[in-house]
């Protein structure tokens, strides 16, 4: 598609044509002020003495229209500007890195403060997290998709590993609950498949304990927040390059998954989008923290191998090099 320039007024017209009729120039200006849209990169030409300049514009009009559509949809999905920056970044749009750092750090700070605020002399952190886990589990039980019906004990385990610095990893009952949920997910995955699928055994208690220990060391909320706050612009740009690879893998993975799932399986689009963006945010947190702790080369190697394996599987399943090339973009 041929690239074209776009002014704010033209952007409003384009969005109206797509059905977003409530958008106006003032709103576009607000998005720009909040760094949801990039600055105009084409300066308006002069009109002569005392007549000022023509309106500035964006050189890549199509991309700006698409980004604006996503801004609207994400605001509808999440309800606040602060929740839009990271999803836009995950979707491949340029976002001010200070905004990204703030959007990544803020939820972590609020999470830590919220749980610490609820702690008292009679109710320690583990008690607070247990109460939160059972409330969340009850809420998840109301969702249609069984895959999010996570046992309360498993949620409590996750919360303690990520949030509680004093958690000693000795609650074997919680690890067994996690194993049960793993098995449930495996059964659901098998039931969704068009063909017979071998159900993989859940992780052993020893492997889960080892994983939990590593997570607690490098991926606790406090550790991740420290890594995010200390991340330089170059660190964030490096994560941005990783996001490009992850987005490419996600595109191929979802295409492969859609071909394996039975036709009668329906997953709500907003659930899929929330899941994808939620996993993307988690991946960013993991990436930043592990790179801070010296695992950058391992991440680079892992991503290269994962892309190569997915490309191989994608090519074997679709047997169309043209489709593979299209997804590489």
């Amino acid at each position: 598609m041929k690239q074209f320039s776009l002014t704010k007024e033209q952007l409003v017209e384009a969005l109206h044509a797509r059905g977003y009729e409530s958008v106006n120039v003032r709103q576009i200006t607000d998005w720009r002020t909040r760094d949801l849209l990039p600055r105009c990169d084409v300066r308006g030409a002069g009109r002569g003495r005392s007549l000022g300049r023509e309106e500035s514009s964006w050189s890549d009009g199509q991309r700006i229209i698409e980004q604006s559509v996503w801004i609207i949809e994400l605001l509808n999905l999440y309800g606040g500007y602060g929740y839009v920056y990271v999803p836009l970044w995950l979707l491949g749009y340029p976002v001010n890195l200070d905004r990204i750092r703030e959007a990544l750090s803020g939820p972590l700070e609020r999470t830590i403060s919220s749980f610490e605020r609820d702690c008292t002399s009679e109710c320690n952190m583990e008690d607070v997290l247990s109460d939160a886990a059972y409330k969340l589990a009850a809420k998840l039980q109301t969702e249609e998709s069984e895959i999010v019906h996570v046992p309360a004990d498993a949620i409590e385990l996750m919360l303690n590993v990520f949030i509680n610095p004093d958690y000693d990893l000795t609650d074997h009952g919680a690890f067994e609950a996690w194993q049960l949920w793993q098995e449930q997910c495996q059964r659901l995955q098998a039931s969704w498949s068009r063909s017979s699928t071998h159900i993989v055994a859940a992780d052993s208690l020893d492997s889960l304990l080892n994983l939990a220990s590593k997570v607690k060391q490098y991926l606790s909320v406090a550790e991740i927040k420290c890594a995010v706050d200390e991340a330089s612009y170059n660190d964030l740009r490096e994560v941005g390059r990783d996001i490009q690879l992850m987005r490419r893998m996600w595109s191929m993975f979802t295409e492969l998954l859609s071909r394996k799932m039975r036709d009668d399986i329906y997953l709500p689009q907003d659930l899929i989008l929330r899941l994808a963006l939620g996993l993307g945010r988690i991946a960013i947190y993991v990436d930043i923290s592990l790179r801070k702790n010296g695992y950058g080369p391992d991440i680079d190697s892992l991503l290269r191998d994962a892309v190569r394996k997915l490309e191989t599987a994608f090519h074997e399943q679709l047997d169309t090099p043209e489709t593979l090339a299209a997804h590489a973009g």
Side-chain angles (χ1 to χ4, degrees), residues 110-174:
R110 289 191 292 273
T111 297
I112 295 171
S113 299
S114 173
F115 287 116
E116 288 180 344
R117 186 170 56 249
D118 291 338
C119 292
T120 65
S121 57
E122 293 82 22
C123 186
N124 62 23
M125 179 65 78
E126 197 161 339
D127 296 327
V128 170
L129 295 176
S130 177
D131 185 52
Y134 277 85
K135 288 179 180 177
L136 178 56
K139 182 178 180 180
L140 292 175
Q141 286 295 324
T142 65
E143 296 287 343
E144 291 185 16
S145 179
E146 291 183 52
I147 200 166
V148 297
H149 294 176
V150 189
D153 286 343
I155 296 176
E156 184 178 352
L157 169 64
M158 287 187 283
L159 290 177
N160 272 293
V161 168
F162 283 107
I163 298 172
N164 186 1
D166 299 321
Y167 189 58
D168 58 8
L169 304 176
T170 58
D171 187 354
H172 283 200

Side-chain angles (χ1 to χ4, degrees), residues 28-308:
I28 300 298
T29 301
D30 183 52
W31 292 349
R32 174 60 210 101
T33 302
R34 296 176 185 271
D35 296 314
L36 291 169
L37 286 174
R39 295 177 180 176
C40 293
D41 55 344
V42 179
R43 190 181 184 188
R47 294 172 173 169
R49 184 176 298 178
S50 76
L51 295 178
R53 290 184 171 275
E54 294 179 355
E55 185 180 0
S56 297
S57 61
W58 292 281
S59 59
D60 192 346
Q62 184 60 41
R63 186 173 178 83
I64 292 298
I65 292 172
E66 292 170 358
Q67 183 167 346
S68 299
V69 168
W70 271 115
I71 291 169
I72 296 169
E73 294 296 335
L74 291 168
L75 285 171
N76 289 337
L77 185 66
Y78 292 111
Y81 290 108
Y83 301 103
V84 175
Y85 296 106
V86 173
L88 280 178
W89 200 36
L90 285 166
L91 290 164
Y93 296 104
V95 182
N96 179 284
L97 293 180
D98 287 319
R99 297 282 194 177
I100 290 295
R101 187 188 290 104
E102 180 182 348
L104 289 171
S105 180
L108 300 176
E109 175 62 35
R110 289 191 292 273
T111 297
I112 295 171
S113 299
S114 173
F115 287 116
E116 288 180 344
R117 186 170 56 249
D118 291 338
C119 292
T120 65
S121 57
E122 293 82 22
C123 186
N124 62 23
M125 179 65 78
E126 197 161 339
D127 296 327
V128 170
L129 295 176
S130 177
D131 185 52
Y134 277 85
K135 288 179 180 177
L136 178 56
K139 182 178 180 180
L140 292 175
Q141 286 295 324
T142 65
E143 296 287 343
E144 291 185 16
S145 179
E146 291 183 52
I147 200 166
V148 297
H149 294 176
V150 189
D153 286 343
I155 296 176
E156 184 178 352
L157 169 64
M158 287 187 283
L159 290 177
N160 272 293
V161 168
F162 283 107
I163 298 172
N164 186 1
D166 299 321
Y167 189 58
D168 58 8
L169 304 176
T170 58
D171 187 354
H172 283 200
F175 283 96
E176 289 169 357
W178 181 266
Q179 285 180 310
L180 290 174
W181 182 58
Q182 274 191 306
E183 292 169 358
Q184 175 183 319
C185 291
Q186 292 288 349
R187 287 194 296 271
L188 282 172
Q189 182 182 353
S191 70
W192 292 346
S193 178
R194 297 175 187 266
S195 57
S196 58
T197 302
H198 175 66
I199 299 178
V200 180
D203 292 325
S204 68
L205 283 178
D206 285 342
S207 64
L208 285 175
L209 280 166
N210 182 60
L211 175 62
S213 177
K214 292 293 185 183
V215 168
K216 194 168 182 291
Q217 181 178 2
Y218 298 119
L219 300 175
S220 68
V221 173
E223 181 64 30
I224 291 173
K225 185 180 184 306
C226 179
V228 169
D229 292 343
E230 294 178 0
S232 66
Y233 292 137
N234 284 336
D235 293 334
L236 293 175
R237 291 188 188 101
E238 197 163 23
V239 173
R241 289 190 288 272
D242 291 343
I243 289 174
Q244 292 179 359
L245 290 176
M246 289 187 283
R247 192 168 57 249
R248 180 176 167 188
M249 288 190 291
W250 176 260
S251 177
M252 290 187 288
F253 171 75
T254 52
E255 179 68 26
L256 289 171
L257 185 63
S258 68
R259 291 172 177 268
K260 288 182 174 292
M261 288 180 63
R262 300 199 323 261
D263 294 334
D264 61 335
I265 297 297
Y266 170 74
L267 295 175
Q269 290 300 311
D270 61 337
L271 175 63
I272 295 174
L273 183 59
R274 283 180 180 273
L275 176 62
L277 295 176
L279 290 174
R281 176 181 282 268
I282 292 171
I284 290 172
Y285 284 141
V286 171
D287 197 319
I288 291 176
S289 188
L290 290 183
R291 284 189 178 280
K292 173 180 178 289
N293 285 283
Y295 286 90
D298 298 285
I299 293 173
D300 294 337
S301 176
L302 178 65
L303 286 175
R304 284 195 301 269
D305 289 345
V307 169
R308 185 170 60 251

